[in-house]
Amino acid sequence: MCPLTDPTTTTASVEPAEQQSVRTVAKSRRSALIGALFLMATSAIGPGFITQTATFTAQMGSAFAFGILASILIDFAVQLNIWRMITVSGKRAPELANLAIPGSGFVLAFLVILGGLVFNIGNIAGAGLGLNVLTGLDAKIGGLISALFAIAIFLAKRAGAVVDRVVVIAGLLMIVLTVIVAFISQPPIGDALRQTVLPDEVNFATITTIVGGTVGGYITYAGAHRLLASGTAGVEHVKEVSRAAFNGILVTGIMRYVLFLAILGVVAGGVAIDTSGSAANPAAQAFQAAAGEFGLRVFGAIFWIAAITSIIGAAYTSVSFLPVFSKKFVGRRADFATIVFIVVSLAVYLLIGTAPATLMVFVGGFNGLILPIGLTIFMYIGWFRGDLMNGYRYPRWLLVIGTAATLLTWYMAVMAVGPIFSLLTV
């Protein structure tokens, strides 16, 4: 009878351990998906986007709602394709690009890293503005303190896990605070909804800038590269990756529209917002007009949170492109490279003379000009290099909307390049 009882005893003792292991893996994967979702979301709602939204809402009023809608639709087309291609292939964007078109991965990496650097200068500027509102500190000192805070995160032994926790908590807090101010400002929702689909005015420079600030440059690849680093790759993860990408875009879309409504309520009430002065801080003016001293402090908190999470996202994702040049940039070396990236961004910000608000509008436009280049490479992969997809049959409908988004971003980039670079002379 012993042979009958022994296997039973063994099975009973092994099953809980196996189940525990499965639960641990599932929990880890779920944490990675949520972290990737919020890394993309918080990167897409950085200080640049907040400043751009305040600036363009002050200039265009309810008509800017169409720009918000356009950015969300382009975001869907871009992120659903990029996340899927990268995770299905199991390769980072520049490596995949090099396999498809030799040399293109190096070009893409250079542009993304350059765009990320420019973006991070704006992020540090935003952090400085946020602390200036909260504490009265000089913006450059605030930028220095914020950069040191971000560096401390990457000095942690398990930097990836720390990044995931920070961006999730910060993202949720930012959403709650913005909803409160939107409720207080009482925007003309009916007019905003009408002009979301039937705008009185369409401005390609503003749309290109807002698209660049939400999905341009490094932001396109942030979530997908975070998933690869966590081991979530392969055809078997397509559904959960697509769901995470969809939810991330949905969260950022709602947040963008709520922020727009919060500022629109102020503009529609007749408050004049300075968008071009040397010390202009359009979003701060809007939040203060909506809710007085409380609104101003809330703005400072939102702006600083948005800046810190975007500093983390820009630095992390930009450095994730470095292995295409040297395989040494992995593990702790990648963390130290990220720290160097932040230090360089900080140094340029401390030396630059452009007004912070103007700078943050420009960086969105600059990354909007980079966006169609990367999209073109990935659409080529989707249509003609299915052999890189590990046997996965890529959905044609995704390629169709991705190609449409690519053509649209090229058109907008050509139309907007002049107005975007003219911002540097303001």
Side-chain angles (χ1 to χ4, degrees), residues 312-324:
I312 293 169
Y316 174 87
T317 309
S318 296
V319 169
S320 74
F321 277 74
L322 286 178
V324 75

Side-chain angles (χ1 to χ4, degrees), residues 2 165 194 263 316 335 338 341 362:
C2 287
R165 292 190 184 97
R194 178 184 67 80
I263 297 169
Y316 174 87
D335 292 336
T338 306
F341 187 89
F362 167 75

Side-chain angles (χ1 to χ4, degrees), residues 49 52-53 55-57 59-60 63-68 70-71 201-214 361 364-365 412 415-416 419-420 423:
F49 174 78
Q52 293 155 18
T53 299
T55 300
F56 297 143
T57 303
Q59 294 172 354
M60 300 177 63
F64 184 57
F66 178 77
I68 299 290
S71 76
E201 174 189 0
V202 176
N203 186 312
F204 286 109
T206 62
I207 296 175
T208 301
T209 299
I210 208 72
V211 167
T214 56
V361 175
M412 291 192 303
M415 296 291 292
I420 286 170
L423 289 169

Side-chain angles (χ1 to χ4, degrees), residues 207-356:
I207 296 175
T208 301
T209 299
I210 208 72
V211 167
T214 56
V215 71
Y218 79 93
I219 299 173
T220 307
Y221 312 98
H225 279 197
R226 183 71 195 102
L227 287 178
L228 284 191
S230 68
T232 307
V235 177
E236 65 274 18
H237 298 304
V238 166
K239 287 186 178 180
E240 53 189 325
V241 167
S242 296
R243 190 181 305 116
F246 182 88
N247 290 337
I249 298 164
L250 188 61
V251 168
T252 55
I254 293 172
M255 175 65 180
R256 291 174 202 171
Y257 207 81
V258 169
L259 177 64
F260 158 71
L261 289 175
I263 297 169
L264 179 63
V266 173
V267 173
V271 176
I273 296 178
D274 178 15
T275 61
S276 60
S278 60
N281 194 337
Q285 297 171 54
F287 275 63
Q288 184 174 26
E293 191 66 18
F294 169 75
L296 187 62
R297 303 306 171 195
V298 167
F299 161 79
I302 291 174
F303 215 63
W304 188 78
I305 291 170
I308 281 294
T309 52
S310 292
I311 290 171
I312 293 169
Y316 174 87
T317 309
S318 296
V319 169
S320 74
F321 277 74
L322 286 178
V324 75
F325 298 110
S326 173
K327 298 297 182 183
K328 293 181 180 179
F329 290 107
V330 294
R332 290 304 285 168
R333 286 190 179 183
D335 292 336
F336 291 131
T338 306
I339 291 170
V340 171
F341 187 89
I342 296 173
V343 170
V344 172
S345 305
L346 173 64
V348 175
Y349 163 63
L350 293 176
L351 294 172
I352 202 166
T354 306

